[in-house]
Amino acid sequence: MAERTLPSARRIITALLFVATLVTGGMQLGILGDSGGSVDLGPGVTLPTGDGALIEGVLGLPRSPYPLFAETGADRALVALTYRGLTRLNESNWAMPDLATEWSSFDSGKAWNFTLDPAARWDDGTPVSIDDVLVTIGVASELNTAGGYWNSITVEAGERDGALIARSPRALANLPAMFATLPLLPAHIYSGLAAGDVLTMALSEPPHGTGPFTIDALAQNAASLSRRTDLLLASDTAIIERSTGIGQEVTAIGLRFFADAGAALGAWNGGSLDLLAGIDHAAATESVGTRGRLINLDSTVFTGIATNLRPGEVLRDPNIRVALAALLDPAAIVNTYGGVVARTPVPPGSWAWTSTKEIPTSPAFATAKLKRAKWTIANGVWYFPSKKPARLEILSLPAMAFPADAAIAAQAAAAWTSFGIETTVTELSADDLTERIAQGEFRLAVVNIEIGSDPDLYPLYGSGAVLTGGNISAIQLKQLDDLLIAARVPATLEKRQAAMAAVQRWCAATVYTLPIRFAATELLASSRVSGVEPILVEQPETHLRAVLSFRLVTP
């Protein structure tokens, strides 16, 4: 799991300052048109049409559609189509070739060899090189991208042409997958520039990507893109050939950008979109009845109830946590708010996921577990071993802004109170909740955790993560650390799956975080589109990384 932070103030301010540049400068260059409220991109420029043209709706307007600076759904969609990383993620987020054709680790996993595809080019014909990797990592480090993940990564040229070596102070099994989340910037344009200057220059000229699509026209409410056959790599050809879809390949894409869900759903219901991404579960479920189907894109956002396991806390006994989990009903939350039921903090759609033993959901099972923890019950009220009545508090974000989180807290409080454990819910602002958790002043708290493309649970449960703030439960167990560290060692897919299975079995048995669900990330798809399959994503718009496998049926 890559530890994450909110975007830096500098990054946000920079993006806001140059929104005007994106519009006015782009119009001067002929990239942007003043489209108003129609799908027209401007004088003489329209969305693509024809058997190979895909039209997708995206929530959010373009602000800075460039690697490392993408802030909105529109930005992410454009970057997913026009830029590449060294690797790309398959449907389960296992790293596959993209700009790099092969890679291997050495030096006990602290170094990786990557080989660049000699056919890889920027859209202006410049070959992709190690300089592009160096510039991109430099900017990512300055921006503290992925919680500072790239700050300690160094890159140097390998012995062979097109070879590069990436080094880290510790073993990084997830480095190939992380490179898939780091689309490269062109060094021949941005070399030597600070991050703010990169964005300034990028917003003043046409985007320079590596394909497989390029932007033909871009406005505040729409974009037109075309597939560049000269930019297709061997990895692209493999995806095209493996597609299970029926119909025409996607050769052109029209993106419609919407400032709000109402406008997006209006376009969907009106039949002008083939796909619509970024709509919440309730609206998507209601709208799918009008046309097409609903595809659940597996999410990497894990929601659970974190427990405080510091010395002296009453939940340190795993029997208690298992008992509390046995009284919950995650399926009811999923039925209302979407997503999938979680068993551990590893997404079911991930290559790393494994089936674990389910906790029986019955009062009798919970009673047995609590009695094993030396709790007692009298007149329907449970008592701690200290003979004091058992009372719990759950912290949650406000219901108005975070209804799913509040519903989880309310369900837990109702279930435990009716069982004889008096439980209250305290709603806090994001700042206050973060402060309470950071200070260890909580017993239980509903949390949403971005697990990342390549699951790494050490930042969540490792002893060393207590000081960095990731391990909010404050677990410190050598046996668990050994499992978590073993799962970080580079290895074959089969060996990594085995290492992650051991971690998940431990998590399922100890329930440090009471698992609820992985968030709903859904895609509305019309009957015109085939070959669109569930795919594990961090953001809904990034499903477009699989667009080469889509097929279009002529109505």
Side-chain angles (χ1 to χ4, degrees):
M1 179 185 69
E3 296 172 88
R4 296 177 179 268
T5 60
L6 293 175
S8 66
R10 175 182 179 182
R11 182 176 174 186
I12 294 173
I13 293 170
T14 300
L16 290 174
L17 287 174
F18 292 108
V19 168
T21 309
L22 172 64
V23 179
T24 58
M27 290 177 67
Q28 293 170 4
L29 290 164
I31 293 299
L32 294 174
D34 181 10
S35 61
S38 70
V39 286
D40 212 357
L41 294 181
V45 184
T46 59
L47 291 175
T49 59
D51 293 346
L54 172 75
I55 308 299
E56 173 157 348
V58 177
L59 274 187
L61 303 179
R63 174 182 293 175
S64 48
Y66 306 97
L68 301 177
F69 298 98
E71 295 285 353
T72 69
D75 294 343
R76 291 187 290 270
L78 290 166
V79 170
L81 292 167
T82 58
Y83 290 88
R84 305 175 186 265
L86 290 184
T87 63
R88 76 173 81 203
L89 301 174
N90 68 7
E91 66 281 355
S92 66
N93 277 0
W94 185 254
M96 304 294 287
D98 203 353
L99 291 175
T101 57
E102 60 183 2
W103 51 88
S104 59
S105 66
F106 64 100
D107 191 16
S108 301
K110 292 185 289 186
W112 287 82
N113 275 313
F114 289 86
T115 301
L116 294 175
D117 188 331
R121 295 285 188 278
W122 293 95
D123 57 12
D124 62 3
T126 303
V128 173
S129 73
I130 183 177
D131 292 336
D132 302 318
V133 182
L134 287 167
V135 165
T136 305
I137 290 180
V139 175
S141 297
E142 185 177 345
L143 294 173
N144 209 42
T145 299
Y149 181 93
W150 299 102
N151 298 15
S152 62
I153 305 296
T154 62
V155 175
E156 61 196 62
E159 296 181 356
R160 295 175 288 105
D161 288 343
L164 63 91
I165 300 172
R167 298 184 185 274
S168 170
R170 65 168 178 82
L172 287 178
N174 65 355
L175 185 60
M178 290 299 292
F179 266 123
T181 68
L182 189 75
L184 298 189
L185 291 164
H188 63 288
I189 297 175
Y190 303 125
S191 181
L193 297 180
D197 295 330
V198 168
L199 184 58
T200 303
M201 179 175 288
L203 290 171
S204 66
E205 59 182 36
H208 297 280
T210 46
F213 287 81
T214 55
I215 298 174
D216 299 320
L218 172 63
Q220 278 292 287
N221 74 322
S224 178
L225 301 93
S226 58
R227 195 172 90 179
R228 288 270 299 265
T229 55
D230 59 316
L231 294 180
L232 291 180
L233 301 177
S235 57
D236 300 321
T237 303
I239 292 173
I240 293 170
E241 293 175 348
R242 287 198 305 268
S243 172
T244 59
I246 299 173
Q248 172 75 34
E249 293 179 15
V250 176
T251 56
I253 297 175
L255 295 176
R256 295 277 309 279
F257 306 131
F258 300 95
D260 60 80
L265 290 169
W268 169 261
N269 294 329
S272 62
L273 302 177
D274 297 314
L275 297 170
L276 177 57
I279 301 298
D280 69 40
H281 174 72
T285 302
E286 180 179 348
S287 298
V288 74
T290 63
R291 53 190 291 263
R293 66 194 188 280
L294 186 64
I295 299 172
N296 183 36
L297 302 173
D298 295 326
S299 171
T300 58
V301 178
F302 168 73
T303 301
I305 304 177
T307 61
N308 189 345
L309 304 179
R310 289 167 175 80
E313 286 291 333
V314 299
L315 301 180
R316 284 172 63 86
D317 189 325
N319 288 297
I320 303 169
R321 302 191 298 273
V322 170
L324 295 177
L327 298 169
L328 299 178
D329 187 4
I333 298 296
V334 167
N335 288 340
T336 302
Y337 296 98
V340 295
V341 172
R343 303 298 180 196
T344 69
V346 175
S350 171
W351 62 265
W353 182 85
T354 191
S355 178
T356 56
K357 185 177 179 180
E358 295 186 19
I359 296 174
T361 53
S362 74
F365 177 79
T367 296
K369 286 292 183 180
L370 289 178
K371 288 184 175 179
R372 187 174 296 180
K374 302 188 185 310
W375 285 31
T376 56
I377 185 169
N379 299 320
V381 176
W382 282 97
Y383 291 82
F384 294 140
S386 64
K387 308 304 181 184
K388 294 180 179 180
R391 292 188 175 90
L392 300 176
E393 178 193 36
I394 307 173
L395 305 185
S396 173
L397 292 167
M400 185 66 71
F402 301 90
D405 286 16
I408 291 167
Q411 184 204 85
W416 298 340
T417 298
S418 65
F419 187 66
I421 305 171
E422 182 182 337
T423 305
T424 58
V425 175
T426 300
E427 293 188 358
L428 298 171
S429 68
D431 288 343
D432 289 342
L433 178 62
T434 300
E435 180 68 17
R436 288 275 301 270
I437 290 175
Q439 296 299 323
E441 297 173 355
F442 74 103
R443 186 155 281 170
L444 299 128
V446 178
V447 294
N448 299 288
I449 301 168
E450 171 56 71
I451 297 300
S453 299
D454 189 303
D456 177 10
L457 300 189
Y458 188 92
L460 184 59
Y461 296 137
S463 296
V466 173
L467 295 178
T468 60
N471 184 349
I472 61 177
S473 294
I475 308 155
Q476 298 187 70
L477 292 173
K478 184 181 183 305
Q479 187 176 355
L480 174 58
D481 285 344
D482 291 343
L483 293 176
L484 295 169
I485 292 170
R488 284 179 148 186
V489 176
T492 62
L493 174 59
E494 292 75 16
K495 289 183 178 180
R496 290 206 63 200
Q497 286 174 326
M500 285 300 300
V503 171
Q504 289 168 85
R505 286 192 293 268
W506 183 285
C507 291
T510 54
V511 198
Y512 299 129
T513 308
L514 281 57
I516 304 296
R517 68 165 186 157
F518 279 90
T521 306
E522 291 159 332
L523 178 71
L524 287 168
S526 74
S527 57
R528 180 172 180 254
V529 188
S530 68
V532 182
E533 304 293 341
I535 185 173
L536 189 58
V537 296
E538 293 188 19
Q539 300 287 349
E541 305 80 21
T542 56
H543 84 94
L544 284 167
R545 72 180 193 249
V547 71
L548 293 176
S549 65
F550 299 176
R551 296 294 181 268
L552 301 172
V553 178
T554 303

